């Protein structure tokens, strides 16, 4: 058994998809194979129940089923981040307590939002994270992403890191992410335990140069992201740049053409899972888009296309 990573967590922490069978039901056997592939492909840790996991199409009971199935199967081989986002402070705190009790290493939480218009002011956001921080003893990663439609300033994020005991990690995936990461590190200092890159690594090199220490990407090719990050952290930036140039067409295609379907399509193509079903009303990739994704991926020979064969 691998020794669990110790804090501060660093490296490649991809989002695991939620696996469904051809009828749209949870496929827990496929879920476990997905997790095993992601570990074998070099993930330092994984995140579950995120937006790229289709968390918004799961019932509360299904969320708990997936969480327990994954955490029990991982069995502390690598750290697992559980997304516990909810508009309600109390519900989010309860979800986070459950995740910690089940063995999660961290929780990831977006600021409270609902639909296109329901938002709360900065003071209420602070109290939201305070309630959750007080409820648990594991770190919180704040997901700063456009989908929340909430502006989180550098000063505000740094203040929460300094004043709230468990707010320590930040997944920055807004425009000009590198500038925000750089500013957050400058303002927050040592309390910014994990300044991380997101958005499928499309801005990874700029974010690494700005001080990012982790990347939360799609789950299809952790081995490719490792080829960028490993040499960078070893001081071989030129090698990292060359790897980034190789993998960027696939990263771009995932980010701009496929979205959350990409990793499932790659996993099915490589025999990791039997079905790449996404839940309705989400739609499968157009056959031409699917073919384009696989064509680009084959040129790179990622583990995912060989793992299940």
């Amino acid at each position: 058994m691998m020794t669990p990573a110790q804090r501060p967590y660093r490296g490649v922490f991809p989002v695991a998809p939620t696996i469904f069978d051809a009828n749209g039901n949870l496929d827990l056997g496929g879920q476990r194979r997905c997790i095993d592939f992601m570990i074998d492909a070099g993930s330092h840790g994984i995140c579950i129940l995120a937006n790229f996991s289709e968390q918004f199409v799961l019932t509360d009971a299904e969320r708990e089923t997936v969480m327990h199935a994954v955490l029990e199967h991982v069995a502390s081989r690598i750290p697992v981040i559980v997304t516990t986002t909810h508009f309600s402070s109390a519900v989010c705190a309860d979800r986070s307590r459950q995740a910690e009790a089940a063995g999660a290493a961290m929780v990831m939480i977006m600021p409270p939002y609902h639909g296109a218009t329901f938002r709360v002011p900065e003071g209420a956001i602070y109290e939201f994270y305070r309630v959750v921080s007080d409820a648990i003893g594991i770190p919180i990663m704040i997901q700063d992403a456009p989908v929340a439609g909430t502006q989180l300033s550098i000063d505000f994020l740094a203040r929460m890191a300094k004043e709230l005991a468990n707010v320590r990690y930040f997944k920055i995936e807004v425009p000009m992410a590198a500038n925000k990461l750089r500013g957050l590190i400058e303002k927050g200092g040592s309390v910014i335990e994990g300044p991380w890159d997101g958005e499928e690594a499309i801005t990874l090199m700029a974010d690494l140069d700005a001080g990012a220490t982790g990347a939360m990407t799609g789950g299809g090719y952790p081995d490719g992201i490792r080829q960028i990050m490993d040499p960078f952290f070893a001081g071989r930036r030129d090698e990292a740049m060359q790897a980034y140039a190789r993998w960027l067409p696939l990263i771009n295609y995932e980010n701009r053409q496929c979205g959350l379907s990409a990793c499932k399509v790659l996993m099915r193509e490589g025999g990791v899972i039997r079905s790449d079903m996404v839940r309705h009303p989400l739609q499968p990739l157009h056959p031409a888009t699917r073919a384009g994704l696989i064509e680009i991926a084959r040129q790179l020979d990622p583990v995912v296309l060989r793992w299940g064969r």
Side-chain angles (χ1 to χ4, degrees):
M1 181 178 293
M2 296 170 59
T3 301
Q6 301 298 313
R7 291 174 62 177
Y9 302 121
R10 295 167 59 92
V12 183
F13 279 65
V15 173
T18 301
I19 309 303
F20 304 113
D21 64 22
N23 296 315
N25 300 311
L26 292 179
D27 176 3
L28 295 182
Q31 189 73 60
R32 295 182 184 99
R33 282 176 60 81
C34 161
I35 297 302
D36 285 338
F37 149 71
M38 291 177 68
I39 293 174
D40 288 350
S43 302
H44 293 105
I46 58 172
C47 178
I48 62 173
L49 299 174
N51 290 329
F52 256 44
S53 313
E54 298 174 73
Q55 59 89 11
F56 39 76
V57 298
L58 300 176
T59 67
D60 287 347
E62 287 174 328
R63 286 178 56 89
E64 292 187 21
T65 296
V66 170
M67 179 180 74
H68 287 289
V70 169
L71 288 168
E72 289 168 10
H73 187 65
V74 170
S76 299
R77 286 178 286 170
I78 57 173
V80 177
I81 301 170
V82 177
T83 306
T84 59
T85 296
H86 197 281
F87 189 87
S88 162
S89 306
V91 173
C92 187
D94 185 58
R95 283 183 173 183
S96 300
R97 278 191 294 264
Q98 290 182 45
E100 180 180 21
M106 189 189 314
V107 292
M108 182 169 74
I109 304 170
M110 301 190 77
Y113 76 99
H114 178 71
T117 60
F118 280 78
R119 302 292 182 275
V120 297
E122 190 173 275
I125 294 172
Y126 181 97
E127 286 302 308
F128 170 86
Y129 282 110
R130 183 193 60 76
V131 167
V132 180
S133 179
D134 288 350
I136 59 176
I138 56 176
I140 295 169
M141 172 176 283
I142 295 180
Q143 182 178 4
D144 184 12
V147 67
T150 302
Q151 297 297 317
L152 299 171
S153 71
I154 291 170
D155 286 343
F156 181 51
L157 291 174
R159 176 190 165 208
M160 286 196 289
K162 291 175 179 177
E163 297 179 4
L164 303 179
N166 291 311
V167 173
R168 289 293 177 265
Y169 288 76
F170 301 84
K171 180 186 178 185
I172 306 298
E173 44 191 350
V174 294
M176 309 300 177
N179 285 341
K180 192 162 192 177
L181 283 163
R182 191 175 290 110
L184 181 59
I185 293 165
E186 290 173 356
K187 288 281 186 179
S190 62
V191 296
I192 310 300
E193 186 174 317
W196 283 19
D197 165 87
E199 204 181 2
E200 298 76 68
I202 200 164
T203 61
L204 181 56
M205 276 306 303
D207 293 345
L208 289 172
D209 284 338
T213 59
M216 188 175 290
T217 64
Y221 41 96
D223 50 314
I225 307 302
R226 285 286 300 266
Q227 291 177 29
I228 302 165
M229 295 186 71
D230 287 358
F232 183 89
F233 288 128
R236 303 191 304 273
R237 187 177 181 279
D238 288 347
E239 183 181 333
M241 282 290 291
Q242 291 169 11
Y244 182 61
R246 284 197 309 274
W247 287 89
L248 187 55
L250 181 58
I251 293 168
N252 180 75
Y253 203 90
E254 175 182 21
N255 180 267
R256 300 300 170 129
Q257 306 298 328
C258 303
L260 58 82
S261 293
C263 64
K264 289 189 178 185
V265 167
L266 293 173
M267 287 181 185
R268 181 183 177 189
E269 184 68 16
V272 178
I273 58 177
R274 290 189 294 269
S275 171
D276 55 19
M277 172 71 70
V278 291
R279 269 195 174 167
H280 199 271
L282 295 173
Q283 299 294 302
L285 291 184
H286 187 282
T289 304
R290 179 192 179 94
L293 174 70
I294 295 169
E295 178 184 32
I296 294 172
R298 286 203 183 283
Q299 297 172 18
L300 296 161
D301 192 32
V303 171
V304 68
L305 296 182
R306 296 180 272 110
W307 190 87
R309 300 301 186 190

